[in-house]
Amino acid sequence: MATGSEIERLIQLLARLPGLGPRSARRAALVLLKKRDVLLEPLAQAMQDAAAAIRPCETCGNLDTVTPCSICTDGRRDPHLLCVVEDVADLWALERAGVFRGRYHVLGGALSALDGVTPERLNVAALLERVKADIEEVILAMNATVEGQTTAHYLMDLLEGEGLKVTRLAHGVPVGGELDYLDEGTLSAAFKARRGL
Amino acid sequence: MATGSEIERLIQLLARLPGLGPRSARRAALVLLKKRDVLLEPLAQAMQDAAAAIRPCETCGNLDTVTPCSICTDGRRDPHLLCVVEDVADLWALERAGVFRGRYHVLGGALSALDGVTPERLNVAALLERVKADIEEVILAMNATVEGQTTAHYLMDLLEGEGLKVTRLAHGVPVGGELDYLDEGTLSAAFKARRGL
């Protein structure tokens, strides 16, 4: 392509973002170059600001401008409840749902023999330290995948001797879900966990 | 969301890229923050470099680090052939195909009554200037959309009196295309333009 190497490099880096392939990265680069003042320059600045300001929380692993993060230091949140998630994205999802008013612990992934993710590569040691300090309930909010559930079982075994209440998220029919479109695993889980009205 | 406003701003700006919605922008922001050294900082730098270096070519409207652009100044390209395209993306697509060795003229869009795009808002006046200078053939490579074809007809009328050969791209069955999956318009165009073997 007879274009400057600056454009090529921009496209190559954009193509490494999730959700953008080589073709959509080209489209994105063109839009950026056309909207130089309102998009390209502000986005470059926002990235530099984020790179300078955002860091992982030393306590829970959340990403924030301060460490410990604003969730860990929020006095209105219940310090006795700890929700363990695989990833910061899961923490954000739970915060958007506004369903949990305790604190979080981000593992940084899930156990996976295939990908070589062992317990040592996850933020497990810090979790065992944290639960010693006045935690009453640990909620294991892993993904409902093989890796997530393996991780949940592993953590349940580890936490068994600590005298804690350990819970996990309910599995069942998603709200708004139609039975016809659900897989057998979900239907079976929903059936087994049926409740009296 | 209990996260720094730097993350929020990054997500908002990323969500304005084509191909990324609010959800995928969040995923992209997380990936960027996790890959700070190998992705976030290089991408911010690449954007600043592009913002500083890339500008539209004064002659043809292509985007490049120099103006006139490297295509306009390439002595190996035929200066008597001019290919008119709607957008820089179309120019890039033709260059990737490596099918054309003349020069380009980027209109900056297509005529559209609905979007209020009149001839004055396109790079038409400069095109009329350029064709006076030793051009033998003008290839109208508009998109095969209503707007693109309207623009092609408008330009054909304008260029009629200039004593030029004016051509347009062929319409027909795309290479690799199956008739069963093509629309009636394409099949009809391919039939009408059938050629002897």
Side-chain angles (χ1 to χ4, degrees):
Chain A
M1 215 189 302
T3 48
S5 62
E6 281 87 354
I7 299 186
E8 284 298 334
R9 180 152 174 77
L10 181 61
I11 295 173
Q12 274 169 16
L13 287 166
L14 283 172
R16 291 171 54 190
L17 291 180
L20 288 183
R23 188 176 286 261
S24 45
R26 268 199 306 270
R27 251 179 79 214
L30 264 179
V31 168
L32 282 169
L33 288 166
K34 281 187 197 162
K35 300 185 178 171
R36 187 182 307 246
D37 296 338
V38 296
L39 193 52
L40 177 54
E41 285 169 3
L43 185 53
Q45 190 59 50
M47 286 184 174
Q48 288 198 318
D49 292 348
I54 310 290
R55 55 205 71 258
C57 170
E58 286 162 10
T59 309
C60 74
N62 185 19
L63 290 167
D64 204 343
T65 46
V66 286
T67 172
C69 73
S70 51
I71 294 181
C72 284
T73 54
D74 185 347
R76 289 163 305 176
R77 299 185 78 112
D78 189 341
H80 307 299
L81 294 179
L82 193 66
C83 179
V84 185
V85 292
E86 292 180 26
D87 203 280
V88 177
D90 305 326
L91 187 161
W92 290 0
L94 288 169
E95 282 299 291
R96 280 199 300 281
V99 72
F100 178 64
R101 297 300 300 167
R103 288 175 185 165
Y104 291 95
H105 190 84
V106 180
L107 289 178
L111 294 177
S112 165
L114 227 65
D115 298 331
V117 181
T118 57
E120 292 74 39
R121 297 188 58 181
L122 298 179
N123 198 9
V124 172
L127 173 64
L128 293 179
E129 274 310 304
R130 285 185 80 186
V131 297
K132 290 195 203 316
D134 213 16
I135 298 286
E136 286 164 9
E137 179 177 353
V138 174
I139 300 148
L140 301 176
M142 303 349 346
N143 290 328
T145 56
V146 173
E147 290 82 10
Q149 295 307 301
T150 308
T151 311
H153 280 118
Y154 171 80
L155 292 178
M156 218 172 288
D157 287 347
L158 272 189
L159 296 169
E160 214 171 22
E162 303 284 341
L164 292 160
K165 187 174 167 193
V166 180
T167 55
R168 66 162 180 80
L169 298 187
H171 293 167
V173 181
V175 176
E178 296 180 45
L179 299 194
D180 196 16
Y181 289 94
L182 287 173
D183 61 299
E184 292 82 4
T186 302
L187 285 176
S188 156
F191 228 89
K192 280 186 198 152
R194 66 187 179 277
R195 302 171 59 172
L197 285 173
Chain B
M1 216 189 302
T3 48
S5 61
E6 282 85 356
I7 299 184
E8 283 298 335
R9 178 150 175 77
L10 181 61
I11 294 172
Q12 274 170 14
L13 286 166
L14 284 172
R16 289 172 54 190
L17 291 179
L20 288 183
R23 188 176 287 261
S24 45
R26 269 199 305 269
R27 253 179 77 214
L30 264 180
V31 168
L32 281 168
L33 287 166
K34 281 186 195 164
K35 300 186 179 171
R36 187 182 307 247
D37 296 339
V38 297
L39 194 53
L40 177 54
E41 284 169 3
L43 186 53
Q45 190 60 50
M47 285 182 174
Q48 288 197 319
D49 293 348
I54 310 290
R55 57 203 70 260
C57 169
E58 286 162 9
T59 308
C60 74
N62 185 19
L63 290 167
D64 204 343
T65 48
V66 285
T67 172
C69 74
S70 51
I71 294 182
C72 284
T73 54
D74 186 346
R76 289 164 306 176
R77 301 186 76 113
D78 189 340
H80 307 299
L81 294 180
L82 193 65
C83 180
V84 184
V85 292
E86 291 180 25
D87 203 280
V88 177
D90 305 326
L91 187 162
W92 289 1
L94 289 169
E95 281 300 289
R96 281 198 302 280
V99 73
F100 178 63
R101 298 300 298 166
R103 290 176 184 166
Y104 291 95
H105 190 83
V106 180
L107 288 179
L111 294 177
S112 166
L114 228 63
D115 298 333
V117 181
T118 56
E120 293 73 40
R121 296 187 60 179
L122 299 179
N123 198 8
V124 171
L127 173 64
L128 292 180
E129 274 310 304
R130 284 184 81 186
V131 297
K132 291 197 202 315
D134 214 15
I135 299 286
E136 287 164 9
E137 179 177 353
V138 175
I139 300 148
L140 300 176
M142 301 352 344
N143 290 328
T145 56
V146 173
E147 289 82 10
Q149 294 307 301
T150 307
T151 312
H153 279 117
Y154 172 80
L155 291 178
M156 216 170 291
D157 287 347
L158 272 190
L159 296 169
E160 215 172 20
E162 303 283 340
L164 293 159
K165 187 175 166 192
V166 181
T167 56
R168 66 163 180 80
L169 298 186
H171 293 167
V173 181
V175 176
E178 297 180 45
L179 299 195
D180 196 15
Y181 289 94
L182 288 175
D183 62 298
E184 291 82 6
T186 302
L187 285 175
S188 158
F191 228 88
K192 279 187 199 151
R194 67 189 179 276
R195 302 173 56 173
L197 285 173

